[in-house]
Amino acid sequence: MASVAAMNVVSSSAEVGIQNQQELKKGIADLYDESSGIWEDIWGDHMHHGYYEPQSSVELSDHRAAQIRMIEKALSFAAISEDPAKKPTSIVDVGCGIGGSSRYLAKKYSATAKGITLSPVQAERAQALADAQGLGDKVSFQVADALNQPFPDGQFDLVWSMESGEHMPNKEKFVGELARVAAPGGTIILVTWCHRDLSPSEESLTPEEKELLNKICKAFYLPAWCSTADYVKLLQSNSLQDIKAEDWSENVAPFWPAVIKSALTWKGFTSVLRSGWKTIKAALAMPLMIEGYKKGLIKFAIITCRKPE
């Protein structure tokens, strides 16, 4: 458990934002209750970054395709088999948004999928979309806490978390729950925002870096950040195997400028104003995300592993 202790030292040194977990959960739920309809109206049902080739010229129409490409690239990185005898049959989407990944994966693999979110609005909309697409018998959604998932041990052979880890106030418990619900031999795919890895001579981020992250945390209802290396240590502490990690920051670089551009359209601007203060505050913080990426402070990481048979 020494590696977990080391991780806690790192994350506590960068700890910023709301400390009360109930307040944090309510803030997250309220933010997504407010903003999910706007996002769907402008960007569709995938509430995550797109994947772009470095230095590529990107049109606004490319972004929805890039979000699907993000899913496919993540599956490829994790070496998920296309063999009918080996493909996933049961999937959990941890932090499911309005269920875009859940429905996509269920259709792709003819699998069952369960999604959890803190937002009642998201869960209701996700289920309505599944029912409308004829997936109501295969895909279901509920309001639940990722740190205390309402599932038995070893239920899912694909555990999927696309950009929800950054909201988790206890990264150790979060990773432990991902490992717990994974079936023996199952795969965990974690795609999340991290702060940069610390060098061996560093004990913490710089005061300037902490200040920037603190501003972002207040806008997006985020607790302590951690690094990709911290996540790897946590996965190792849970005896997970075949751990791989990669920095995809360059591949998501066009995303935030595109979100800002869409928010500055008349439709986007008026929708944000109507939605409520939490959405307005998040929209105003989007340039801070770009700043963090450009400074190398914020990293967009994919981390995958396998639970032992």
Side-chain angles (χ1 to χ4, degrees):
M1 297 297 289
S3 60
V4 177
M7 181 267 172
N8 287 337
V9 169
V10 173
S11 68
S12 64
S13 71
E15 192 163 346
V16 285
I18 301 166
Q19 299 305 307
N20 183 290
Q21 290 197 25
Q22 292 305 313
E23 183 182 351
L24 174 64
K25 287 168 63 175
K26 184 179 187 305
I28 294 168
D30 289 349
L31 172 63
Y32 288 113
D33 280 352
E34 278 187 10
S35 63
S36 294
I38 300 170
W39 183 274
E40 181 187 1
D41 190 32
I42 297 174
W43 279 74
D45 61 349
H46 292 281
M47 300 183 68
H48 58 79
H49 285 69
Y51 185 100
Y52 310 86
E53 295 304 324
Q55 311 301 323
S56 58
S57 175
V58 179
E59 299 295 329
L60 194 58
S61 59
D62 297 335
H63 295 298
R64 293 194 185 193
Q67 290 173 310
I68 298 298
R69 191 157 57 246
M70 173 63 73
I71 296 174
E72 288 293 340
K73 289 287 187 179
L75 295 170
S76 177
F77 183 80
I80 300 297
S81 178
E82 299 284 346
D83 183 341
K86 297 179 181 178
K87 67 183 182 181
T89 60
S90 58
I91 300 165
V92 63
D93 186 354
V94 181
C96 61
I98 57 172
S101 291
S102 302
R103 291 186 296 276
Y104 183 88
L105 295 168
K107 284 188 282 190
K108 179 179 176 70
Y109 295 117
S110 299
T112 60
K114 296 182 183 296
I116 59 172
T117 172
L118 290 174
S119 164
V121 170
Q122 286 188 337
E124 183 178 354
R125 181 58 179 158
Q127 193 64 58
L129 289 169
D131 293 344
Q133 295 172 21
L135 293 169
D137 61 334
K138 285 186 166 293
V139 185
S140 62
F141 301 92
Q142 62 185 296
V143 175
D145 187 350
L147 302 185
N148 186 24
Q149 295 184 36
F151 308 119
D153 296 356
Q155 182 169 348
F156 304 102
D157 46 23
L158 176 56
V159 177
W160 177 271
S161 173
M162 175 63 72
E163 295 185 48
S164 63
E166 51 271 13
H167 283 298
M168 305 301 167
N170 186 327
K171 302 296 193 288
E172 182 176 354
K173 192 170 184 182
F174 171 54
V175 171
E177 279 291 273
L178 299 181
R180 181 185 68 79
V181 301
T187 299
I188 298 171
I189 298 179
L190 173 61
V191 182
T192 188
W193 314 348
C194 295
H195 69 61
R196 65 174 179 83
D197 289 343
L198 299 180
S199 70
S201 63
E202 289 181 303
E203 293 185 359
S204 70
L205 298 171
T206 68
E208 294 77 16
E209 289 174 325
K210 291 179 185 179
E211 182 180 0
L212 177 56
L213 289 185
N214 189 42
K215 292 176 182 177
I216 294 170
C217 285
K218 288 177 179 177
F220 291 110
Y221 292 90
L222 306 178
W225 292 59
C226 71
S227 68
T228 305
D230 295 330
Y231 270 120
V232 169
K233 290 173 185 175
L234 283 177
L235 294 168
Q236 290 170 338
S237 75
N238 281 273
S239 301
L240 296 162
Q241 299 176 343
D242 301 332
I243 301 169
K244 298 193 301 180
E246 198 162 89
D247 178 7
W248 283 2
S249 302
E250 190 175 3
N251 299 101
V252 301
F255 177 78
W256 285 98
V259 173
I260 291 173
K261 187 176 180 180
S262 67
L264 294 176
T265 64
W266 179 249
K267 179 180 180 181
F269 180 71
T270 55
S271 296
V272 168
L273 287 181
R274 285 196 304 268
S275 64
W277 172 240
K278 288 182 172 65
T279 305
I280 294 169
K281 188 169 62 172
L284 292 173
M286 289 189 291
L288 299 177
M289 289 295 297
I290 297 175
E291 181 182 350
Y293 276 126
K294 286 185 175 179
K295 289 182 173 179
L297 169 61
I298 297 174
K299 299 294 184 180
F300 188 87
I302 180 168
I303 310 156
T304 66
C305 61
R306 186 176 57 83
K307 188 170 182 175
E309 297 279 359

